[in-house]
Coordinates of all heavy atoms in Angstrom, one line a residue:
M1 N 106.8 152.1 170.1 CA 106.7 152.9 168.8 C 107.8 153.9 168.7 O 108.4 154.2 167.7 CB 105.4 153.6 168.7 CG 104.2 152.6 168.3 SD 104.3 152.1 166.6 CE 103.7 153.6 165.7
K2 N 108.2 154.5 169.9 CA 109.1 155.6 170.0 C 110.5 155.2 169.5 O 111.4 156.0 169.2 CB 109.2 156.2 171.4 CG 109.6 155.1 172.4 CD 109.3 155.7 173.8 CE 109.5 154.6 174.9 NZ 109.1 155.1 176.2
Y3 N 110.8 153.9 169.5 CA 112.1 153.4 169.2 C 112.3 153.2 167.7 O 113.5 153.0 167.2 CB 112.5 152.1 169.9 CG 112.5 152.2 171.4 CD1 111.6 151.6 172.2 CD2 113.4 153.0 172.0 CE1 111.6 151.7 173.6 CE2 113.5 153.2 173.4 CZ 112.5 152.5 174.2 OH 112.6 152.7 175.5
F4 N 111.2 153.2 166.9 CA 111.3 152.8 165.5 C 111.0 154.0 164.6 O 110.0 154.7 164.8 CB 110.4 151.7 165.2 CG 110.7 150.4 165.9 CD1 110.1 150.0 167.0 CD2 111.8 149.6 165.4 CE1 110.4 148.9 167.7 CE2 112.1 148.4 166.1 CZ 111.5 148.1 167.2
S5 N 111.8 154.2 163.6 CA 111.6 155.4 162.7 C 110.4 155.2 161.8 O 109.7 156.1 161.5 CB 112.8 155.6 161.8 OG 114.0 155.9 162.5
F6 N 110.1 153.9 161.4 CA 108.9 153.6 160.6 C 108.7 152.1 160.6 O 109.6 151.3 161.1 CB 109.1 154.2 159.2 CG 110.3 153.7 158.5 CD1 110.3 152.5 157.8 CD2 111.4 154.5 158.4 CE1 111.5 152.0 157.1 CE2 112.6 154.1 157.7 CZ 112.6 152.9 157.1
I7 N 107.6 151.7 160.0 CA 107.3 150.3 159.8 C 107.1 150.0 158.3 O 106.5 150.8 157.6 CB 105.9 150.0 160.6 CG1 106.1 150.2 162.1 CG2 105.4 148.6 160.2 CD1 104.7 150.3 162.8
I8 N 107.5 148.9 157.9 CA 107.2 148.4 156.6 C 106.5 147.1 156.7 O 107.0 146.1 157.3 CB 108.5 148.2 155.7 CG1 109.0 149.6 155.3 CG2 108.1 147.4 154.4 CD1 110.2 149.6 154.4
G9 N 105.2 147.1 156.3 CA 104.4 145.9 156.4 C 104.0 145.3 155.0 O 104.6 145.8 154.0
I10 N 103.2 144.3 155.0 CA 102.9 143.7 153.7 C 102.2 144.7 152.8 O 102.3 144.5 151.6 CB 102.0 142.4 154.0 CG1 101.9 141.6 152.7 CG2 100.6 142.8 154.5 CD1 103.2 141.0 152.3
E11 N 101.5 145.7 153.3 CA 100.9 146.7 152.4 C 101.9 147.5 151.6 O 101.6 148.0 150.5 CB 100.0 147.7 153.2 CG 98.9 147.0 154.0 CD 99.3 146.7 155.4 OE1 100.5 146.5 155.7 OE2 98.4 146.6 156.2
D12 N 103.1 147.6 152.2 CA 104.2 148.4 151.6 C 105.0 147.6 150.6 O 105.5 148.2 149.6 CB 105.1 149.0 152.7 CG 104.3 149.8 153.7 OD1 103.7 150.9 153.3 OD2 104.2 149.4 154.9
S13 N 105.2 146.4 150.9 CA 106.1 145.5 150.1 C 105.2 144.3 149.7 O 105.2 143.3 150.5 CB 107.3 145.1 150.8 OG 108.1 144.2 150.0
V14 N 104.6 144.3 148.6 CA 103.6 143.3 148.2 C 104.3 142.0 147.9 O 103.7 140.9 147.9 CB 102.8 143.7 147.0 CG1 101.9 144.9 147.4 CG2 103.6 144.0 145.8
V15 N 105.7 142.0 147.7 CA 106.4 140.8 147.5 C 107.0 140.4 148.8 O 107.7 141.1 149.5 CB 107.6 141.0 146.5 CG1 108.3 139.7 146.2 CG2 107.0 141.6 145.2
G16 N 106.7 139.2 149.3 CA 107.2 138.7 150.6 C 108.6 138.2 150.6 O 109.2 138.0 149.6
K17 N 109.1 138.0 151.8 CA 110.4 137.4 152.0 C 110.4 135.9 151.5 O 109.3 135.3 151.6 CB 110.8 137.4 153.5 CG 110.8 138.8 154.1 CD 110.8 138.7 155.6 CE 110.7 140.1 156.3 NZ 110.7 140.0 157.7
P18 N 111.4 135.5 150.8 CA 112.8 135.9 150.8 C 113.2 137.0 149.8 O 114.3 137.3 149.7 CB 113.6 134.6 150.5 CG 112.7 133.8 149.7 CD 111.3 134.1 150.2
D19 N 112.2 137.5 149.1 CA 112.5 138.7 148.3 C 113.0 139.8 149.1 O 112.4 140.1 150.2 CB 111.2 139.1 147.5 CG 111.5 140.2 146.5 OD1 111.5 141.4 146.8 OD2 111.7 139.8 145.3
P20 N 114.0 140.5 148.7 CA 114.6 141.6 149.5 C 113.9 142.9 149.5 O 114.4 143.9 150.1 CB 116.0 141.7 148.9 CG 115.8 141.4 147.5 CD 114.8 140.3 147.4
T21 N 112.8 143.0 148.7 CA 112.2 144.3 148.5 C 111.9 145.1 149.8 O 112.2 146.3 149.9 CB 110.9 144.2 147.7 OG1 111.2 143.6 146.5 CG2 110.2 145.5 147.5
G22 N 111.4 144.5 150.8 CA 111.1 145.2 152.0 C 112.3 145.8 152.7 O 112.3 147.0 153.1
Y23 N 113.4 145.0 152.7 CA 114.6 145.6 153.3 C 115.2 146.6 152.5 O 115.8 147.6 153.0 CB 115.6 144.4 153.6 CG 115.2 143.6 154.8 CD1 114.8 142.3 154.7 CD2 115.1 144.2 156.1 CE1 114.4 141.5 155.9 CE2 114.7 143.5 157.2 CZ 114.4 142.2 157.1 OH 114.0 141.5 158.2
L24 N 115.2 146.5 151.2 CA 115.8 147.5 150.3 C 114.9 148.8 150.4 O 115.5 149.9 150.3 CB 115.8 147.0 148.9 CG 116.8 145.9 148.7 CD1 116.7 145.3 147.2 CD2 118.3 146.4 148.9
M25 N 113.6 148.7 150.5 CA 112.8 149.8 150.7 C 113.1 150.6 152.0 O 113.2 151.8 152.0 CB 111.3 149.4 150.8 CG 110.7 149.0 149.5 SD 109.0 148.5 149.6 CE 108.2 150.0 150.2
A26 N 113.4 149.8 153.1 CA 113.8 150.4 154.3 C 115.1 151.2 154.2 O 115.2 152.3 154.7 CB 113.9 149.3 155.4
A27 N 116.1 150.6 153.6 CA 117.4 151.3 153.4 C 117.2 152.5 152.6 O 117.8 153.6 152.9 CB 118.4 150.3 152.7
D28 N 116.4 152.5 151.5 CA 116.2 153.6 150.7 C 115.5 154.7 151.5 O 115.8 155.9 151.4 CB 115.4 153.2 149.5 CG 115.1 154.4 148.5 OD1 116.1 154.8 147.9 OD2 114.0 154.8 148.3
K29 N 114.5 154.3 152.3 CA 113.7 155.3 153.0 C 114.6 156.0 154.1 O 114.5 157.2 154.4 CB 112.5 154.6 153.7 CG 111.5 155.6 154.3 CD 110.2 154.8 154.7 CE 109.2 155.8 155.2 NZ 107.9 155.1 155.5
L30 N 115.6 155.2 154.6 CA 116.5 155.8 155.6 C 117.6 156.6 155.0 O 118.3 157.4 155.6 CB 117.1 154.7 156.4 CG 116.2 153.9 157.4 CD1 116.8 152.7 158.0 CD2 115.7 154.9 158.5
G31 N 117.9 156.3 153.7 CA 119.0 157.0 153.0 C 120.3 156.4 153.5 O 121.3 157.1 153.5
I32 N 120.3 155.1 153.8 CA 121.5 154.4 154.3 C 121.8 153.3 153.4 O 120.9 152.5 153.0 CB 121.3 153.9 155.8 CG1 121.1 155.1 156.7 CG2 122.4 153.0 156.2 CD1 120.7 154.6 158.1
P33 N 123.0 153.1 152.9 CA 123.4 152.0 152.0 C 123.1 150.6 152.7 O 123.2 150.5 153.9 CB 124.9 152.2 151.8 CG 125.2 153.6 152.2 CD 124.2 154.0 153.2
P34 N 122.7 149.7 151.9 CA 122.3 148.3 152.5 C 123.5 147.7 153.3 O 123.2 147.1 154.3 CB 122.1 147.5 151.2 CG 121.6 148.5 150.2 CD 122.4 149.7 150.5
E35 N 124.7 147.9 152.9 CA 125.8 147.4 153.6 C 126.0 148.0 155.0 O 126.8 147.5 155.8 CB 127.1 147.5 152.8 CG 127.5 148.9 152.5 CD 127.0 149.4 151.1 OE1 126.0 148.8 150.7 OE2 127.6 150.3 150.6
E36 N 125.3 149.1 155.3 CA 125.4 149.7 156.6 C 124.1 149.4 157.4 O 123.9 150.0 158.5 CB 125.6 151.2 156.5 CG 126.9 151.6 155.8 CD 127.1 153.1 155.7 OE1 126.3 153.9 156.1 OE2 128.2 153.5 155.1
C37 N 123.4 148.4 157.0 CA 122.2 148.0 157.7 C 122.4 146.6 158.2 O 122.9 145.7 157.6 CB 120.9 148.0 156.8 SG 120.5 149.6 156.1
L38 N 121.9 146.3 159.4 CA 121.9 145.0 160.0 C 120.5 144.5 160.1 O 119.6 145.2 160.7 CB 122.5 145.1 161.4 CG 122.6 143.7 162.2 CD1 123.7 142.8 161.6 CD2 122.9 144.0 163.7
V39 N 120.2 143.3 159.6 CA 118.9 142.7 159.7 C 118.8 141.7 160.8 O 119.8 140.9 161.0 CB 118.6 142.0 158.3 CG1 117.4 141.0 158.5 CG2 118.4 143.0 157.2
V40 N 117.8 141.7 161.6 CA 117.6 140.8 162.7 C 116.3 139.9 162.4 O 115.2 140.4 162.3 CB 117.4 141.5 164.0 CG1 117.4 140.5 165.2 CG2 118.5 142.5 164.3
E41 N 116.5 138.6 162.2 CA 115.5 137.7 161.7 C 115.5 136.4 162.6 O 116.4 136.2 163.3 CB 115.7 137.4 160.3 CG 115.2 138.4 159.3 CD 113.7 138.2 159.1 OE1 113.1 137.3 159.6 OE2 113.1 139.1 158.3
D42 N 114.5 135.6 162.4 CA 114.4 134.3 163.1 C 114.1 133.1 162.2 O 114.1 132.0 162.7 CB 113.3 134.4 164.2 CG 111.9 134.3 163.6 OD1 111.6 135.2 162.8 OD2 111.2 133.3 164.0
A43 N 113.8 133.4 160.9 CA 113.3 132.3 160.0 C 114.1 132.4 158.7 O 114.5 133.5 158.3 CB 111.8 132.3 159.8

């Protein structure tokens, strides 16, 4: 837990992937532009 600033789960972003809402919410919450974020995924 100590390594992560926060969690975004299905309760926070009711629209699932491949919709970008969850990732855009994370960038907005961090105050960091999307182009300065790296996404790590497996599917």
Side-chain angles (χ1 to χ4, degrees):
M1 284 287 285
K2 58 192 173 187
Y3 296 116
F4 296 99
S5 297
F6 56 83
I7 296 164
I8 289 183
I10 193 61
E11 300 93 336
D12 305 295
S13 175
V14 295
V15 184
K17 302 169 184 177
D19 188 276
T21 300
Y23 283 118
L24 292 174
M25 286 178 64
D28 183 66
K29 193 168 183 176
L30 290 170
I32 295 175
E35 59 269 21
E36 295 180 3
C37 297
L38 179 73
V39 166
V40 186
E41 278 278 359
D42 75 301

